[in-house]
Amino acid sequence: MWFKKSSTASKAMGITKKYGRSILILFMFIAIIFMLVRCINQQSEQKPATEEVSAPATFKDYVSSQTCAGCHKTIYDNHTHTAHYLTAQPADEKSIKGSFKKGSNTYSYTPSIMLSMEKRDSGLFQVAFYKGEEKKAMRFDIIIGSGVMGQSFLSWRNNRLYQLPITYFTAADQWSNSPGFPNDRVLIDRLVTSRCLECHTSFAQGISGISMETVEFDRNNIIYGVDCQKCHGPAAKHVEYQTEHPQDKTPKYIINPSKLTRIQQLDICALCHGGNIQKTKPSFEFTAGKDLSHYFVVDTSSGNIVQNSANIDVHGNQYALLRASKCFKVSSTMTCNTCHNTHENERGKKELFSHRCMTCHDPAANSFKTPTHSSLVAVESNCIDCHMPSQPSKSIAVFLQGQETPKTSSLRSHFIGIYPEETKNHLNKTR
Ligand code: HEC
Ligand code: HEC
Ligand code: HEC
Ligand code: HEC
Ligand code: HEC
Ligand code: HEC
Ligand code: HEC
């Protein structure tokens, strides 16, 4: 609590200079009432590090995540290998996964419309041709996507960002047309808004005033990727304090999600893994430790979605699927962090994940000895393929050159349950 009080006071001091004492008293009065109400509401819960009264963070409240390496080196080093860290970066030949080599650098829409990926003196470009004549060259400026499934690309025009028509599709190791783009012509004006950047960067400073859906950005004030501060809150003040007080080993001005309530922990992930939620405040105003429901219309019930889980896409809505699962509903503690250590790249480590299932499901217990489990030799090495099978996404669908039906990506379903068909497949594979 002291943390909230002291930072509220320092904000109030700035106000005093400008507007005098009465505003300060009023402000403190409101702050005290606010804190009392919150304390009453949350008596039985863990201490929230929320700071709802503060102004929205701006670029100066953030630092480069490299700064954290000075004192948290192992976490920083591991984190640079994660899909989160790599999900947005300035484009260069090394980080773009698609090929610029002749023979594999083109995409034909129709016999007369073609696009080619080219390396020129001034950078890397997607160049549109009509009947062999160059029509438009668009620069690769920003990469979106670590490349687990694919990479999309953004291009600056003045202070606006446009999504490029061609995406790299990992499963086919090919250039493809971008998801949702037409299959028979080159679309060059798909404007990128702050919501796209809110899920793929940690902060992007808008320059078109306070608007719900900013479309103009300061290109020098972007924190690429899902970095430390997306889950720990803007950290400039933490760095400043700990640097000035090296002898003080108590952390200040920083959020540790494990000290938040269950909902606040889930909110951090649900900002981006909670489906297509509708915002009620401008992008980037929600930061870790706040209540997502104050910024978006979110449904935190775990009611009757079970019957409809088939309608929830496996892409980008792990939260809704998990919430519909019996594990989540019956357990009172499960969050995303029960199974995920997001500081590390743990992709594909099925045995590690299975061990996390076993923190609640004891294979030695009698209830575990079901007919299927008893028939397995190494049941403990992989719970995942039977209970969280990979399923095709309905929304990530791209057209490969010359194909009439789109190709989809598959993702793990977070609707943890019993899947007879996948069980059969798994048994066939392992026998
Ligand atoms: C000058 C050193 C220093 C720098 C730079 C620094 N920290 Fe810390 N941090 C500390 C110390 C000291 C602690 C408390 C001891 C510990 O947990 O290691 C701490 C603790 C933390 C905690 C745990 C908080 C808690 O309540 O348990 C988090 C999270 C954290 N830091 C995040 C960051 C992030 C993110 C950055 C970069 C933006 C960063 N730190 C940069 C010194 C630093
Ligand atoms: C700012 C948005 C954002 C937040 C907040 C966020 N994620 Fe993500 N997450 C993403 C994006 C985007 C990807 C896809 C990265 C890629 O491959 O380009 C991703 C990927 C992942 C992956 C897959 C990693 C892999 O190796 O493929 C896991 C697991 C994950 N997130 C878990 C979490 C958890 C748990 C939280 C909360 C503690 C969280 N995420 C918070 C945006 C976010
Ligand atoms: C609501 C948050 C959200 C928004 C908005 C969003 N994404 Fe994503 N995106 C994700 C998450 C989460 C993933 C990881 C896959 C998953 O969980 O389905 C992802 C995955 C991707 C991937 C595949 C990454 C990989 O390495 O496999 C690409 C490419 C991508 N997004 C591009 C975009 C672009 C371009 C925009 C905006 C025009 C956008 N996304 C808007 C959340 C979002
Ligand atoms: C996707 C969310 C996410 C990102 C990104 C992230 N963290 Fe964390 N971090 C967490 C969560 C969740 C915990 C609490 C884990 C627990 O103890 O349950 C945590 C705990 C910590 C702690 C305290 C516990 C410990 O392990 O020492 C430190 C310090 C920390 N993070 C630093 C960092 C730094 C530095 C970065 C960037 C290099 C970073 N984190 C990136 C989610 C994240
Ligand atoms: C935090 C504890 C916890 C973790 C971790 C956990 N579960 Fe559960 N799970 C539960 C609880 C509680 C139930 C409900 C049991 C009951 O009904 O008595 C459950 C139920 C289930 C069921 C039955 C589902 C149904 O619809 O009948 C399956 C299957 C299952 N879990 C698999 C898994 C797998 C696989 C993992 C790891 C990926 C996992 N669980 C991780 C707590 C957990
Ligand atoms: C009961 C354990 C469990 C919980 C809880 C859990 N996950 Fe997962 N998650 C997994 C497993 C297992 C995988 C597959 C990992 C792999 O194969 O690399 C996975 C994969 C993912 C992926 C990558 C999907 C793909 O197929 O590319 C994302 C994103 C993700 N989880 C996000 C989340 C978010 C967000 C939450 C909380 C809402 C969450 N997870 C909660 C077990 C869990
Ligand atoms: C070959 C596929 C397969 C594997 C591997 C597997 N399960 Fe299951 N599991 C099933 C099936 C099918 C059922 C339904 C009962 C049956 O047919 O035996 C089930 C039932 C369950 C249940 C509900 C039990 C009950 O009381 O109704 C839980 C919990 C569970 N599994 C957890 C796990 C965990 C944890 C692991 C890994 C340690 C695991 N399972 C590995 C297929 C599998």
Side-chain angles (χ1 to χ4, degrees):
M1 262 318 175
W2 62 267
F3 154 25
K4 181 190 287 176
K5 271 185 208 144
S6 64
S7 77
T8 307
S10 67
K11 288 250 156 51
M13 243 122 72
I15 292 170
T16 328
K17 279 186 212 134
K18 281 191 210 150
Y19 304 103
R21 220 179 158 70
S22 55
I23 291 190
L24 172 62
I25 291 167
L26 182 67
F27 188 82
M28 287 178 82
F29 184 67
I30 293 170
I32 287 166
I33 299 231
F34 182 78
M35 283 191 280
L36 279 176
V37 169
R38 283 197 70 86
C39 287
I40 292 163
N41 285 345
Q42 305 200 342
Q43 245 165 13
S44 60
E45 304 210 57
Q46 291 155 293
K47 178 184 84 179
T50 322
E51 232 186 302
E52 302 282 357
V53 277
S54 66
T58 62
F59 187 69
K60 66 171 180 9
D61 298 314
Y62 290 88
V63 292
S64 141
S65 67
Q66 233 171 336
T67 317
C68 318
C71 303
H72 305 288
K73 190 166 186 327
T74 313
I75 296 177
Y76 174 79
D77 288 346
N78 288 336
H79 191 248
T80 57
H81 299 289
T82 61
H84 275 157
Y85 181 85
L86 298 167
T87 200
Q89 11 174 2
D92 62 37
E93 210 180 343
K94 225 177 81 209
S95 37
I96 297 174
K97 300 213 157 182
S99 169
F100 288 84
K101 287 203 186 78
K102 264 208 160 20
S104 46
N105 67 332
T106 59
Y107 181 89
S108 295
Y109 291 80
T110 67
S112 51
I113 305 175
M114 192 268 278
L115 210 143
S116 104
M117 278 27 86
E118 298 187 2
K119 200 172 134 186
R120 295 179 170 180
D121 287 345
S122 52
L124 303 162
F125 292 85
Q126 296 197 356
V127 189
F129 291 88
Y130 180 68
K131 294 192 172 156
E133 191 186 324
E134 179 172 331
K135 289 292 174 192
K136 185 146 187 93
M138 297 157 281
R139 220 169 112 106
F140 284 88
D141 286 318
I142 295 174
I143 302 175
I144 301 288
S146 71
V148 171
M149 287 179 290
Q151 293 181 322
S152 287
F153 309 96
L154 313 183
S155 191
W156 287 107
R157 270 184 245 162
N158 298 320
N159 296 320
R160 295 181 174 223
L161 281 167
Y162 292 83
Q163 187 175 352
L164 293 183
I166 296 298
T167 283
Y168 172 74
F169 190 64
T170 306
D173 187 17
Q174 261 180 48
W175 298 107
S176 68
N177 89 329
S178 297
F181 276 56
N183 195 16
D184 54 358
R185 69 198 154 90
V186 184
L187 185 74
I188 58 168
D189 53 3
R190 168 79 55 95
L191 194 59
V192 167
T193 70
S194 54
R195 184 62 176 134
C196 176
L197 299 184
E198 186 170 41
C199 290
H200 285 276
T201 72
S202 293
F203 187 77
Q205 181 79 59
I207 55 174
S208 41
I210 298 175
S211 113
M212 283 292 281
E213 203 67 51
T214 311
V215 294
E216 300 206 322
F217 306 97
D218 182 339
R219 64 180 79 186
N220 297 316
N221 289 355
I222 295 178
I223 310 245
Y224 289 96
V226 181
D227 100 335
C228 322
Q229 296 162 99
K230 205 76 201 191
C231 302
H232 295 298
K237 213 166 164 191
H238 169 67
V239 171
E240 190 187 318
Y241 179 87
Q242 308 293 165
T243 307
E244 282 171 8
H245 304 84
Q247 73 294 345
D248 190 352
K249 295 295 171 204
T250 25
K252 290 194 173 61
Y253 309 114
I254 193 78
I255 288 165
N256 183 337
S258 68
K259 298 177 186 168
L260 298 172
T261 65
R262 184 189 191 194
I263 294 282
Q264 285 172 326
Q265 289 187 49
L266 288 161
D267 278 355
I268 296 176
C269 315
L271 172 69
C272 310
H273 294 283
N276 193 13
I277 50 178
Q278 297 305 310
K279 55 182 162 164
T280 55
K281 298 221 173 73
S283 299
F284 296 108
E285 289 202 0
F286 169 81
T287 50
K290 295 182 175 177
D291 293 345
L292 195 64
S293 62
H294 296 176
Y295 300 82
F296 289 86
V297 181
V298 280
D299 172 18
T300 46
S301 69
S302 54
N304 294 328
I305 8 183
V306 196
Q307 288 88 337
N308 300 328
S309 70
N311 298 330
I312 303 172
D313 198 77
V314 282
H315 166 56
N317 206 351
Q318 288 83 12
Y319 184 35
L321 289 166
L322 184 68
R323 232 166 52 203
S325 308
K326 211 166 174 186
C327 296
F328 186 88
K329 291 207 274 193
V330 178
S331 139
S332 59
T333 54
M334 182 183 268
T335 64
C336 309
N337 308 318
T338 308
C339 299
H340 292 287
N341 170 2
T342 50
H343 291 161
E344 295 187 21
N345 185 336
E346 300 183 321
R347 197 173 180 83
K349 296 184 177 165
K350 290 177 190 168
E351 192 157 355
L352 178 77
F353 283 107
S354 301
H355 279 275
R356 292 185 183 149
C357 308
M358 290 185 270
T359 58
C360 296
H361 299 289
D362 179 6
N366 273 335
S367 60
F368 192 84
K369 299 196 168 70
T370 68
T372 304
H373 292 172
S374 304
S375 74
L376 290 162
V377 196
V379 64
E380 296 175 20
S381 63
N382 181 2
C383 319
I384 315 302
D385 285 339
C386 291
H387 291 300
M388 296 183 70
S390 278
Q391 293 180 335
S393 160
K394 292 179 212 77
S395 59
I396 304 194
V398 300
F399 286 98
L400 295 176
Q401 182 173 309
Q403 291 187 6
E404 296 291 315
T405 45
K407 213 167 156 53
T408 56
S409 274
S410 284
L411 288 102
R412 290 274 163 201
S413 175
H414 279 64
F415 184 60
I416 305 169
I418 290 158
Y419 295 82
E421 207 42 49
E422 276 80 1
T423 293
K424 233 187 282 159
N425 292 343
H426 183 75
L427 291 175
N428 286 342
K429 253 190 272 166
T430 47
R431 273 180 194 149

